[in-house]
Amino acid sequence: MRYIPNSPQEREEMLKEIGLSSAEELFRTIPGDIRLARPLNVSEPLAENEIIAAFEGMAARNTATQKPSFLGAGVYSHYSPTIVDHLLQRSEFFTSYTPYQPEISQGTLQYIFEFQTLVAQLTAMEVANASMYDGSTAMAESYLMAQRVTRRNKIVVATSVHPEYREVARTYTKHGDAEIVEAAFDEATGRLADLSALDDKTAALVVQSPNFFGCIEDLSELAAKAHEVGALFIVVVTEAISLGLLKAPGACDADIVVGEGQSWGIPASFGGPHVGFFATREKFVRQMPGRLCGVAYDKDGKRGFTLTLSTREQHIRREKATSNICTNQGLIALAATIYMEAMGKQGLEEVAVQNAQKAAYAKNAIAAIDGYSIPFSAPTFNEFVVRGPRPANEILEAAREKGIIGGLALSKYYPGRENEFLVCVTETAARESIDLLLDSLR
Amino acid sequence: MSIKKVTSHPTQNEALIFERSQAGRVGYRLAKLDVEEANLDSLIPKELRRDDGLAGVPEVSEVDVVRHFTRMSSWNYSIDLGLYPLGSCTMKYNSRLNEKVARIPGFAGLHPLAPEEESQGALELIYRLQEALAEITGLPGVSLQPAAGAQGEMTGVMLIRAFLDKRDGEASKERRVMLIPDSAHGTNPASAALAGFTVKTIRSTADGITDMDHLRELCNEGGVAGVMFTNPNTVGIFERNIKEICDTVHNAGGLVYMDGANMNALVGVARPGDMGVDVIHLNLHKTFSTPHGGGGPGCGPCCCTAELAEFLPVPRVVLEAASPDAKFRLDYNLPNSIGRVKAFFGNFGMMVRALSYIYTHGNDGLKEATEAARAQRAVSRAQTRRHLRQTIPVGRYARGDLLAQEPGKERRRHARHRKTPDRLRLSSDDRIFPARRGRRDAYRADRVRRPCRPRCVRGGDDRYRSRGKGRPRARKERTAFDTHRTPR
Ligand SMILES: Cc1ncc(COP(=O)(O)O)c(C=O)c1O
C-alpha cells in the first residue's frame, strides 16, 4: 500500500520479534464477537490517476464554478496572491502538529503571534486569539463569554446578523440559561433600529457590520446604547476586507469583535475550511475562548513564543473551561497571515476601496434599471440588497440561464422578502461580468 | 572533500514581520479599477471610515514575505521531517494527492450558497464520504458538519440530550449526569457541559481500563444520561469490556458516546456500531490523514445509530432517488434536529482529502494500515519497554495508540522526549509567561517593540533582557539578520 512505510516482509519480521504468528493476533484484546469478519464495503484501492479522474468528474458537476457569480453572504471571492498557497504548503508548516511543544514549533507559534497581532490591529482591539472554527462559532462563543463576563443572561441580537450565525449561536446556547432576543432592523435604512429589549439584564448587544444586507451600522451609537445598560457590545464581521476601509469596531468602543477571515485569501471551498477570529479587551482575556500565543524569553533573554493562559482551556479546567475548542484553524490562520502581510498596509486599503467602488458602480446601475430599486438607504460596502419587479428566484433563474449567478434570494432566510436579493461585487468581478449581470436584469 | 551539512539557519532570530516593515514597500498588485471612480465620501461617509491609516500593519515586499515564512518554517518539526509518535492525535503522512484534488477549481472555487443543481459534485462527495464513514463505524447516521473533534463531541452529546428529552419528556430533567473516565481527553467534559450535563468521573483499574464496579455503582446512583469513553482509550488500551459497558449504561437508561480519536487502531477490524455504541465522532485530521497543519483545520464527523439520526445537525445531504440521474439534495426539513453547529456544511476541503485517502487505500488497504500501525506500535512498545525499564520510573500514563496490554502489567510513562536541535529548545523553566512581562506587550507583536527601527534586532535591547538582573551579552546571531539592511 502506498502510504504504509514498511513492506509485508518487514511486517512479518516485526510480528516475529514480538512473538506473534499473524497480524490477526495483534487484535487479540478485541473480543471475537465484535470483530468485523468481512472486508469493508468501500471502494477498491484506486491509483492516483483514477482518483484524479474521479474527483475531476465530480468537480465538473459543480457547474456554478464555471459562471461569474455575485454571491457573498459570508463567503467572498477575493484575489489571493500566489505565494499564499505556496508558502502554506511548505511541509514544515503543513505537516506539523499543534504547537504544544514550543521547542519544536517556533515557526507555527510565531505566525500565530503575527496573526493575532494583525487581527488586533485591523479590529483595533487589544488581544486576539489563535483562531476559531469560523465566524459563526466565534459569534456563538462570544455569547457565552459575554454571559461569563457580565453574569447576565440576556443576549440582544440584530436580525440583520447572518442567519446561519444566529442558528449556530442558538445551538450553542440552548442548554445554558441564555435568553436570546432578536432585534429588528429599520425597513427604510436596513440598520438595526429596535433597541427596546436592552435592559439591565442584558449581557450583550450583538450586531454585524456591514450587516447581512450589506449595510454599514453606526457602531459608535450602538456601543453607547449597550454600555448605558452595562451590556457588552459585540461586533460581528463577515467580510474581513471591509476592515481595510471602515472604522474599526474597536475604535467604536466594541468589547468583543468576532468574525470570519475567509476573505483574507482563503478559497470558498463550499463553505470551509475558513478561519474565525476573536478579539477583545485585555481585561477580559481570561474569559476568552481558544488558544492564545504569547511572547516568551528564555534564560539568555532570547525571544520565543509559546501558548499561554492555557488555564482557560479544557486540558486543565475540563468542564469548567471557557470553551471546548481544541483543534482550531491553524493552517488557514497561516494563509490569512501571509495574505495580510503580502497585501500590507497599502494593499488592504486598496482592495477595500476597489470593492466599495465596484459595488457602487453595480448598485447605481441596477437602481437605474426599470422596476429595480435599492430598498435600504444606509451606506454599503461590497454587498447590497436589490428589490426586483418579480420574485427574486425567477430573476436569478433567468440570469442563470444566461450563465450568471446573480446573487442570493433573500427569501432563503427571510420569508416574505420574495422580490429581494443580495448582490455582492468584489474586486474579482470584471466590469464585463457586471455588465452581463445588468443585461440579464433588463 | 566533504560538503558540510547545513544545520543552522542564516539567523536564529527571524524578526517579526512588523520589525521588517519599511514604509513604502509593497508586495502585491491589483488590476486597475475598471469602473468610473466615485468620490469615496459620497459612497461611505468619512465618519464611518478608518482614520488610523492602518497604523502598525506591515509594509513589506513579496520576497520579504517569502523569506520571512520560509525561515520561520525551518523552526518547526513536522511529519515530513520524521515520525511524530503521538497517540490519540494520530499524525499520519499527509498525501500530496489529497492536496491536489482539494485544489481542483470545481471544488476550491465553489460557493456554499450556489444553487444545489449547480453543486451536485460537492454534494455527491459529501454523500459518498458519509456512506464510507457509516460503513467504517457501523453507524448509519452521519453528519460531516462539525469542524473538529471537540465539535463532533458536542454534536454527539447534544444528540443524546435531544433523544432523552424526546423519550422522557419532563422526566429527562432528572437525567443530567454524563459519566467520563478519568483518562478522557479534556474536550469530553467540556463538550458535555455545553449540552447541559454535569460530569461524574469513572475510575480506571490498575491495568488502565474502565473500572466496571465503579461504573455499575455510578449507574445505580441514577440520573445517568450516558457515558463518554474513548476506545482504545487515551492510555492506549482497548476496553475489552466494551459490550458490558454499553449494556450497563443502556440498562441504566443512558446512551453510549465513543470518542473516535483513536479509530486508527480499529478501522477495518472492528466497528463501534457492532459494539453497542450509539454515537461517535471521528477526526478526519487524525485517522483519515488530512493535515493537522499546526493545529487545524480539522473535521469531526458525527456518526450515530438510525434511532438518533433524526436529531443530527441541519441540513443533511441526501440522495433523491437511486436512479441513474440521481440527484443530491440538502434536506432542511428536520424538525427534531439539534440545529446547526457551523455555518454552511463543515470543513468541506477536509472531506475531499479524506475521501481521496479512503479511495487510495480501498477496502483492504484501510485494514492493512490498521495492522501496520498496530504492528509498529507493538514493536516499538516492546523496545520502549526495554528502554524504559532502565531509565524512566513507572508513571500514570502510557499514551499510545494501542497497547496489547496484558492485565496486571504496570503502565509506564510514554517517552515524550524527542531529539530536537539545541537551537530550538526553550528551557521550560525559563519560559516567562506574558503576564509577567508588561502584560499588554505579551499578545501583540507590534507592541513587543517599536516597529520599523532599522537594525532593530540588537543585542542589549531592553526587551531582550533576561529575567535576572544585568544586560545580556550581545549575541551574534541576534544581529546577523539585519546587517544587510541599510541604516537610516
Ligand atoms: C482523545 C481525544 N478526543 C478528542 C480530541 C479533540 O479533537 P479536536 O482537537 O479535533 O477538537 C482529541 C485531540 O485533540 C483527542 O486526542
Side-chain angles (χ1 to χ4, degrees):
Chain A
M1 254 336 120
R2 286 178 59 195
Y3 302 154
I4 300 173
N6 38 42
S7 68
Q9 293 86 321
E10 284 174 293
R11 264 176 276 154
E12 214 147 278
E13 275 162 35
M14 286 158 70
L15 291 175
K16 236 184 264 156
E17 189 183 330
I18 48 176
L20 302 181
S21 56
S22 77
E24 279 302 302
E25 268 186 66
L26 284 166
F27 304 105
R28 61 175 182 243
T29 48
I30 305 177
D33 59 338
I34 51 173
R35 283 215 229 144
L36 189 64
R38 58 169 177 84
L40 283 173
N41 181 19
V42 295
S43 142
E44 293 287 305
L46 298 181
E48 197 164 310
N49 53 351
E50 290 174 306
I51 290 178
I52 292 170
F55 279 60
E56 276 180 347
M58 278 192 276
R61 292 195 277 287
N62 296 325
T63 47
T65 54
Q66 297 147 18
K67 300 183 172 140
S69 158
F70 295 88
L71 286 168
V75 177
Y76 302 92
S77 162
H78 290 294
Y79 166 71
S80 180
T82 307
I83 59 169
V84 174
D85 195 40
H86 169 77
L87 288 170
L88 93 93
Q89 283 196 74
R90 278 191 71 86
S91 288
E92 298 88 339
F93 287 132
F94 168 80
T95 77
S96 67
Y97 182 55
T98 310
Y100 290 136
Q101 290 162 286
E103 67 277 22
I104 55 168
S105 314
Q106 284 300 303
T108 299
L109 288 162
Q110 184 168 335
Y111 81 65
I112 294 176
F113 193 66
E114 293 184 1
F115 172 77
Q116 291 175 175
T117 304
L118 287 158
V119 169
Q121 288 173 335
L122 289 174
T123 57
M125 299 301 285
E126 287 164 350
V127 294
N129 76 8
S131 75
M132 305 297 287
Y133 300 137
D134 71 352
S136 72
T137 60
M139 183 177 102
E141 298 261 17
S142 76
Y143 285 21
L144 302 173
M145 174 170 153
Q147 288 185 276
R148 288 192 296 272
V149 168
T150 60
R151 297 174 192 281
R152 299 177 179 184
N153 64 2
K154 185 161 146 187
I155 306 282
V156 179
V157 56
T159 51
S160 49
V161 170
H162 197 300
E164 297 204 5
Y165 284 35
R166 283 182 286 132
E167 277 180 58
V168 171
R170 263 199 297 278
T171 309
Y172 267 72
T173 51
K174 72 176 171 191
H175 299 303
D177 55 3
E179 179 201 347
I180 297 180
V181 181
E182 303 213 316
F185 57 88
D186 182 78
E187 280 292 339
T189 63
R191 281 174 161 178
L192 174 60
D194 178 12
L195 294 175
S196 59
L198 281 182
D199 61 15
D200 61 3
K201 291 186 187 58
T202 308
L205 172 65
V206 187
V207 298
Q208 178 183 322
S209 184
N211 68 25
F212 189 73
F213 309 122
C215 301
I216 303 166
E217 298 278 359
D218 187 345
L219 297 178
S220 302
E221 190 191 313
L222 295 169
K225 292 267 170 48
H227 291 152
E228 237 165 61
V229 296
L232 299 191
F233 183 49
I234 300 177
V235 176
V236 183
V237 180
T238 61
E239 171 48 298
I241 288 300
S242 70
L243 292 169
L245 181 63
L246 302 187
K247 190 151 195 163
C252 305
D253 223 9
D255 299 291
I256 303 177
V257 183
V258 291
E260 175 55 66
Q262 178 267 333
S263 291
W264 288 322
I266 318 299
S269 194
F270 207 41
H274 298 161
V275 55
F277 61 83
F278 197 115
T280 187
R281 294 178 191 272
E282 193 179 337
K283 65 179 176 189
F284 300 140
V285 69
R286 281 172 195 280
Q287 295 300 336
M288 186 164 70
R291 289 184 189 133
L292 185 64
C293 176
V295 69
Y297 295 82
D298 75 2
K299 67 173 187 291
D300 300 323
K302 283 203 283 182
R303 183 173 62 192
F305 302 91
T306 183
L307 294 179
T308 188
L309 298 183
S310 307
T311 45
R312 297 166 300 114
E313 293 177 67
Q314 75 294 331
H315 308 295
I316 296 167
R317 299 284 310 279
R318 296 175 83 83
E319 68 267 31
K320 295 197 177 61
T322 54
S323 165
N324 68 337
I325 188 171
C326 182
T327 290
N328 54 29
Q329 301 292 114
L331 203 62
I332 312 298
L334 169 62
T337 309
I338 302 167
Y339 176 87
M340 288 187 271
E341 294 180 6
M343 296 300 282
K345 189 186 275 189
Q346 273 191 36
L348 290 174
E349 188 181 340
E350 188 184 337
V351 70
V353 170
Q354 280 213 4
N355 274 258
Q357 292 284 0
K358 289 208 174 196
Y361 167 80
K363 184 175 165 183
N364 292 334
I366 292 174
I369 300 174
D370 236 12
Y372 288 85
S373 61
I374 305 297
F376 301 132
S377 64
T380 55
F381 174 62
N382 66 0
E383 262 181 306
F384 51 90
V385 172
V386 174
R387 186 174 288 154
R390 54 205 168 103
N393 277 322
E394 288 175 23
I395 297 170
L396 295 171
E397 191 59 43
R400 207 144 66 80
E401 270 158 32
K402 294 191 177 139
I404 299 177
I405 308 227
L408 179 77
L410 274 192
S411 58
K412 176 175 165 72
Y413 298 115
Y414 297 88
R417 308 196 77 92
E418 303 308 320
N419 285 14
E420 292 167 358
F421 57 103
L422 188 62
V423 176
C424 173
V425 186
T426 72
E427 84 281 7
T428 61
R431 183 183 184 140
E432 298 85 80
S433 9
I434 301 175
D435 291 344
L436 228 67
L437 172 69
L438 299 175
D439 283 344
S440 80
L441 301 180
R442 280 189 191 113
Chain B
M1 201 188 85
S2 68
I3 296 172
K4 217 169 143 223
K5 200 169 159 195
V6 178
T7 51
S8 65
H9 198 279
T11 172
Q12 300 193 5
N13 274 338
E14 170 59 10
L16 288 160
I17 195 79
F18 310 93
E19 296 159 348
R20 301 176 127 277
S21 174
Q22 290 291 348
R25 287 195 184 180
V26 286
Y28 76 100
R29 175 174 213 133
L30 290 178
K32 257 222 267 340
L33 190 64
D34 58 359
V35 300
E36 295 75 54
E37 197 167 342
N39 177 351
L40 207 50
D41 291 336
S42 72
L43 304 180
I44 302 169
K46 247 202 176 77
E47 62 276 14
L48 294 177
R49 301 208 310 266
R50 277 192 103 102
D51 54 9
D52 65 349
L54 287 164
V57 173
E59 293 172 85
V60 284
S61 64
E62 181 168 325
V63 69
D64 286 338
V65 178
V66 171
R67 286 190 181 140
H68 178 63
F69 284 97
T70 306
R71 283 170 177 157
M72 272 186 338
S73 76
S74 75
W75 286 67
N76 268 5
Y77 183 75
S78 63
I79 282 286
D80 282 1
L81 286 170
L83 183 68
Y84 221 125
L86 284 167
S88 63
C89 286
T90 309
M91 288 290 282
K92 288 193 179 207
Y93 167 61
N94 307 130
S95 155
R96 291 328 195 260
L97 168 63
N98 298 353
E99 295 309 306
K100 182 171 175 136
V101 291
R103 283 172 174 76
I104 298 174
F107 290 132
L110 184 61
H111 195 287
L113 298 172
E116 282 172 36
E117 318 69 304
E118 304 227 27
S119 323
Q120 283 294 302
L123 295 176
E124 174 176 349
L125 188 135
I126 292 178
Y127 185 83
R128 300 257 172 260
L129 184 59
Q130 286 177 179
E131 295 276 280
L133 298 181
E135 166 68 5
I136 288 167
T137 58
L139 292 162
V142 181
S143 169
L144 304 182
Q145 204 178 87
Q151 215 190 19
E153 292 167 19
M154 182 193 84
T155 307
V157 288
M158 282 187 177
L159 298 186
I160 294 181
R161 171 78 188 254
F163 173 84
L164 296 175
D165 286 350
K166 187 175 174 203
R167 184 189 71 185
D168 300 352
E170 272 296 291
S172 147
K173 267 209 202 81
E174 310 302 319
R175 235 179 232 290
R176 289 284 188 271
V177 178
M178 192 54 75
L179 305 178
I180 302 181
D182 50 10
S183 63
H185 196 259
T187 48
N188 288 190
S191 301
L194 273 168
F197 292 118
T198 54
V199 174
K200 279 193 189 171
T201 305
I202 319 171
R203 282 195 300 267
S204 306
T205 62
D207 48 316
I209 58 170
T210 302
D211 182 334
M212 288 305 296
D213 291 334
H214 193 221
L215 176 66
R216 274 183 222 105
E217 193 185 310
L218 290 172
C219 283
N220 289 339
E221 285 172 15
V224 172
V227 65
M228 290 179 87
F229 77 109
T230 310
N231 202 19
N233 64 26
T234 54
V235 300
I237 302 167
F238 189 83
E239 296 277 0
R240 57 180 179 276
N241 300 322
I242 166 76
K243 276 199 128 167
E244 213 182 325
I245 294 174
C246 293
D247 288 345
T248 309
V249 174
H250 285 150
N251 289 338
L255 297 186
V256 177
Y257 181 89
M258 179 172 142
D259 178 327
N262 293 349
M263 246 333 255
N264 197 46
L266 296 180
V267 174
V269 172
R271 308 193 308 165
D274 301 337
M275 303 173 192
V277 168
D278 297 293
V279 51
I280 185 179
H281 87 261
L282 300 170
N283 298 65
L284 300 190
H285 50 301
K286 297 178 182 173
T287 312
F288 295 91
S289 88
T290 75
H292 230 91
C299 184
C302 181
C303 311
C304 66
T305 57
E307 220 177 355
L308 289 177
E310 60 172 315
F311 306 111
L312 283 169
V314 65
R316 297 189 61 198
V317 177
V318 295
L319 182 57
E320 191 87 287
S323 64
D325 56 340
K327 264 187 73 176
F328 298 92
R329 195 168 58 76
L330 287 164
D331 187 0
Y332 288 90
N333 185 20
L334 298 157
N336 293 326
S337 163
I338 60 164
R340 246 180 206 291
V341 297
K342 194 184 168 305
F344 314 116
F345 320 111
N347 283 341
F348 176 77
M350 301 296 115
M351 303 170 200
V352 181
R353 291 168 174 87
L355 192 67
S356 159
Y357 170 84
I358 290 173
Y359 282 2
T360 299
H361 273 304
N363 39 18
D364 310 336
L366 288 170
K367 185 174 178 193
E368 203 178 321
T370 308
E371 286 170 3
R374 237 178 124 142
Q376 197 106 294
R377 178 70 193 85
V379 169
S380 58
R381 178 169 162 271
Q383 289 165 347
T384 313
R385 180 178 285 163
R386 251 175 268 141
H387 172 70
L388 293 186
R389 208 169 283 143
Q390 296 145 13
T391 54
I392 299 184
V394 175
R396 204 171 135 241
Y397 289 124
R399 191 171 160 159
D401 49 336
L402 191 58
L403 305 190
Q405 182 83 34
E406 299 99 303
K409 283 264 163 73
E410 281 143 332
R411 284 166 283 130
R412 286 156 213 274
R413 192 180 293 277
H414 189 67
R416 286 200 151 235
H417 186 76
R418 236 156 271 126
K419 254 198 135 28
T420 57
D422 275 347
R423 67 186 173 87
L424 292 183
R425 209 169 283 156
L426 284 177
S427 156
S428 63
D429 294 339
D430 293 296
R431 248 188 252 162
I432 301 171
F433 285 92
R436 291 201 231 155
R437 259 234 156 214
R439 290 165 40 207
R440 172 164 291 204
D441 289 357
Y443 320 108
R444 288 187 53 170
D446 56 342
R447 290 179 186 168
V448 169
R449 56 173 56 255
R450 278 148 272 157
C452 314
R453 282 203 306 162
R455 291 173 172 269
C456 54
V457 184
R458 231 185 343 228
D461 184 298
D462 60 351
R463 273 157 299 253
Y464 284 92
R465 195 170 294 153
S466 65
R467 257 202 299 160
K469 289 178 201 78
R471 293 160 71 85
R473 280 167 300 138
R475 290 189 146 229
K476 218 169 134 213
E477 67 270 17
R478 269 187 241 136
T479 53
F481 198 85
D482 288 274
T483 46
H484 69 275
R485 192 181 272 180
T486 27
R488 266 186 209 149

